[in-house]
Amino acid sequence: MIATTQQQNNTAKSSVIQRIGGERDFEFVVLSLVDRLRDDKQLRRFFSTFEPNDLAAHQEEFLRVVFAQANDMDDARTKNDLQVFIHLRYFLLIKQGFDETHFDLTISHIIAALEDAWVDDQDLIDDTVTVLNSVRPIFEQKGQTQSVQMRARTTRAGPKVLVSSSA
């Protein structure tokens, strides 16, 4: 039996989530990350206006995409998915000045959230940082990476951007 792409993606996601400790620990990581993003003085202007549940849903989706890539570092489709996801979902934040400095802070909060959940799998943490650093140029170039813009325009799914409740 041939596994569908969706089944393969679900397997990749679940194996990383299992390495974290399961769905409950993954949910804890997401909630810890959301608290950290909303409490950080340098990031507050980007995230504090979002409803906590909306921000949590976005961060959960973001981490699932990142962890799918961390599970298979050589999967070009997953890497493309992550780049398009970042470009589409962070477009408005980039327009508001979210840059590589803010992205680096976000990475540090992701690592701290994993540590809050007692994740001691250093390979998982290292792979996660590697994946996150692979999309850092999007923030360095203020979202102007040509290849990502072209892929974002040609994606069949409509763009879903992270929108503040105060917008």
Side-chain angles (χ1 to χ4, degrees):
M1 176 181 210
I2 299 174
T4 66
T5 302
Q6 184 63 37
Q7 289 169 328
Q8 291 168 342
N9 287 343
N10 288 342
T11 301
K13 291 175 188 175
S14 65
S15 65
V16 172
I17 290 172
Q18 291 307 312
R19 287 169 63 190
I20 291 171
E23 279 294 330
R24 285 186 181 219
D25 287 343
F26 175 71
E27 289 172 19
F28 179 83
V29 168
V30 170
L31 294 176
S32 176
L33 176 58
V34 167
D35 287 343
R36 289 173 174 283
L37 293 175
R38 291 175 59 89
D39 291 343
D40 187 296
K41 290 177 183 175
Q42 293 179 357
L43 297 175
R44 186 175 295 147
R45 70 183 172 121
F46 300 108
F47 296 111
S48 66
T49 59
F50 295 98
E51 293 295 325
N53 289 341
D54 293 340
L55 186 56
H58 170 76
Q59 294 304 323
E60 177 182 347
E61 184 179 6
F62 170 65
L63 288 176
R64 286 184 187 276
V65 173
V66 169
F67 291 149
Q69 177 68 29
N71 192 61
D72 188 359
M73 300 293 282
D74 298 321
D75 183 8
R77 179 175 180 187
T78 305
K79 186 173 184 175
N80 179 58
D81 290 349
L82 176 61
Q83 290 176 342
V84 170
F85 178 88
I86 294 289
H87 187 74
L88 291 175
R89 286 299 191 90
Y90 282 84
F91 181 75
L92 291 178
L93 293 179
I94 291 169
K95 288 275 192 199
Q96 295 171 1
F98 192 94
D99 61 19
E100 68 274 9
T101 303
H102 302 108
F103 188 66
D104 291 343
L105 284 170
T106 302
I107 292 173
S108 70
H109 289 307
I110 291 169
I111 294 167
L114 288 167
E115 291 169 349
D116 287 347
W118 297 87
V119 172
D120 60 0
D121 184 341
Q122 192 59 48
D123 289 337
L124 171 63
I125 293 170
D126 291 346
D127 290 348
T128 300
V129 170
T130 298
V131 169
L132 290 167
N133 281 329
S134 75
V135 296
R136 190 174 189 276
I138 294 170
F139 299 97
E140 292 170 346
Q141 298 168 12
K142 312 295 185 262
Q144 298 303 312
T145 52
Q146 186 69 22
S147 61
V148 172
Q149 286 181 347
M150 290 301 288
R151 284 188 294 250
R153 273 189 236 133
T154 59
T155 186
R156 291 184 185 185
K160 291 171 68 177
V161 288
L162 187 59
V163 179
S164 167
S165 60
S166 67

